[in-house]
Amino acid sequence: MPPKILIVDDEPHILSILKESLSASGFEVNTQSSGEDALVYLEDHQPDLMVVDLRMPGISGLDLIRETRKSIPDTEVIILTSYGDMKSAVEALRLGAYDYLTKPVDMERLLQTLRNGGDRRRLVLQNRSLIRSLEESNRIKAEFINGMSHEFRTPLGHILGFSQILQDTLEDLTEKQVHYIENIQSAASGLLGLFENILQFSILKSGEAHVKPATFTQASLLDRCLESYQSPA
């Protein structure tokens, strides 16, 4: 599909020349002779690119940029200006215009600027789509990890609970039996901690974690790390 371009200029001969040249270069071109007509057109259309004269009666090019930034922020705008309007051209860039060209327009430069603006627009839209895909992927992954963690934590909690009941209620347990029960409890606790860490990591990756700063010493942090990785007795 050819890129859609809206040209806005109050000079009919410029509209005619630009439309003919850009159409011949493969663009789908629409023209409007005032800022007012352009705003009406934009109510039902969203061009990929706009070429806007800076100085027009009524709604100026700057005013048109302000309005388009609100309704179609992804449309790249190229401003046409005279040599004496450089201050306004800089203001147009500040408002979000992609670039400006001075009149009389160098057609080759205009074509290249439009191609570059179109490439930038595609990259912005692709990047936005990728971000949405990544956010959806992270959401699905977080839901899966949360569900998996729940499914594993429940039986592990039962194992811990029943092993404690066995240890508390059975009499005359041998030293080996006590050791077996303690090993069961240690392994189950380790797995519970692992799934809890996975769940917390998933929350952190999703950006929903609430960080609570805390003070600690290097020695205490090292001790906690050693405890976490220490092999069960």
Side-chain angles (χ1 to χ4, degrees), residues 135-151:
E135 289 175 345
E136 178 64 12
S137 176
N138 285 335
R139 184 189 66 79
I140 294 173
K141 181 175 66 177
E143 289 180 356
F144 171 76
I145 291 176
N146 186 47
M148 182 186 69
S149 177
H150 174 75
E151 292 299 322

Side-chain angles (χ1 to χ4, degrees), residues 3-207:
K4 298 178 181 179
I5 296 180
L6 172 63
I7 306 173
V8 187
D9 199 303
D10 63 323
E11 299 182 61
H13 70 282
I14 290 181
L15 288 179
S16 178
I17 293 172
L18 291 181
K19 182 174 183 178
E20 182 178 349
S21 299
L22 295 180
S23 297
S25 299
F27 294 97
E28 181 181 326
V29 182
N30 184 279
T31 62
Q32 299 295 331
S33 58
S34 69
E36 288 83 357
D37 290 342
L39 289 178
V40 173
Y41 174 82
L42 292 173
E43 290 177 359
D44 299 314
H45 302 82
Q46 183 172 345
D48 303 313
L49 302 150
M50 291 175 58
V51 178
V52 179
D53 185 22
L54 186 63
R55 296 288 182 181
M56 294 184 293
I59 296 179
S60 68
L62 289 178
D63 294 331
L64 191 55
I65 291 176
R66 291 187 182 95
E67 293 302 317
T68 56
R69 291 298 91 184
K70 298 175 185 176
S71 57
I72 49 172
D74 295 323
T75 297
E76 299 291 353
V77 181
I78 292 91
I79 287 290
L80 302 182
T81 182
S82 65
Y83 284 104
D85 286 330
M86 297 307 297
K87 184 176 180 180
S88 296
V90 172
E91 175 67 11
L93 295 178
R94 189 188 68 80
L95 291 173
Y98 173 68
D99 204 349
Y100 70 89
L101 300 176
T102 56
K103 292 181 176 181
V105 179
D106 183 319
M107 192 55 61
E108 286 300 320
R109 186 180 175 189
L110 174 60
L111 286 171
Q112 189 58 53
T113 302
L114 288 169
R115 293 188 185 104
N116 292 342
D119 290 341
R120 176 185 172 182
R121 181 177 185 274
R122 282 191 294 274
L123 287 174
V124 168
L125 294 177
Q126 289 172 2
N127 184 59
R128 187 176 301 156
S129 177
L130 286 173
I131 290 174
R132 284 197 296 264
S133 297
L134 287 173
E135 289 175 345
E136 178 64 12
S137 176
N138 285 335
R139 184 189 66 79
I140 294 173
K141 181 175 66 177
E143 289 180 356
F144 171 76
I145 291 176
N146 186 47
M148 182 186 69
S149 177
H150 174 75
E151 292 299 322
F152 276 92
R153 284 187 295 176
T154 299
L156 287 172
H158 291 163
I159 290 173
L160 279 173
F162 286 127
S163 64
Q164 187 64 49
I165 291 173
L166 289 175
Q167 192 174 36
D168 293 340
T169 58
L170 293 180
E171 299 179 356
D172 301 325
L173 290 173
T174 66
E175 184 177 343
K176 181 176 289 188
Q177 289 172 329
V178 171
H179 182 67
Y180 288 157
I181 292 176
E182 290 175 347
N183 279 348
I184 292 172
Q185 293 173 332
S186 177
S189 296
L191 283 174
L192 276 174
L194 174 63
F195 283 113
E196 183 63 29
N197 289 337
I198 292 174
L199 183 60
Q200 291 301 319
F201 180 74
S202 174
I203 294 173
L204 183 63
K205 289 284 286 183
S206 69

